[in-house]
Amino acid sequence: MSKEIYVEHSVSPAKLDVVGVYDWLTWKKEISTFDWEYNQQETCYIVKGAFTVTPEGGEPQSFKRGDLITFPEGLKCTWNITKAVEKYYDYQ
């Protein structure tokens, strides 16, 4: 099972509409650092903010507003939020 984080930058409004992003749940978090484990695959769209996710044993990856990200099931990582985040998210 791949533990790769998949990201698309500057996703078109048409794609967001097709995927149904605006029907997903929302999540907000202030500037902080915390460990996280994904028990199921999550796809999210970043509406506001900036953060870095460092997979266990891997290299940090930075994300920001406009990114559509898929975090794989089983991923263990550390989030470092540098600018308060707001996102839409959905589990597969």
Side-chain angles (χ1 to χ4, degrees), residues 20-39:
V21 162
Y22 300 110
D23 294 328
W24 297 353
L25 298 172
T26 58
W27 181 82
K28 296 179 184 181
K29 185 78 173 164
E30 67 284 349
I31 293 172
S32 58
T33 300
F34 59 92
D35 294 330
W36 191 254
E37 181 174 354
Y38 289 88
N39 295 323

Side-chain angles (χ1 to χ4, degrees), residues 80-91:
N80 181 22
I81 298 175
T82 54
K83 192 173 177 185
V85 169
E86 184 175 331
K87 70 177 184 176
Y88 286 95
Y89 70 97
D90 188 41
Y91 294 115

Side-chain angles (χ1 to χ4, degrees), residues 18-84:
V18 167
V19 175
V21 162
Y22 300 110
D23 294 328
W24 297 353
L25 298 172
T26 58
W27 181 82
K28 296 179 184 181
K29 185 78 173 164
E30 67 284 349
I31 293 172
S32 58
T33 300
F34 59 92
D35 294 330
W36 191 254
E37 181 174 354
Y38 289 88
N39 295 323
Q40 51 192 327
Q41 179 176 292
E42 176 188 314
T43 299
C44 62
Y45 177 67
I46 310 306
V47 180
K48 293 181 182 171
F51 58 97
T52 300
V53 173
T54 305
E56 190 176 70
E59 293 298 313
Q61 295 181 48
S62 296
F63 305 101
K64 63 184 185 331
R65 183 173 66 87
D67 288 347
L68 183 66
I69 311 162
T70 300
F71 295 103
E73 179 180 351
L75 177 71
K76 294 180 182 179
C77 58
T78 301
W79 275 62
N80 181 22
I81 298 175
T82 54
K83 192 173 177 185

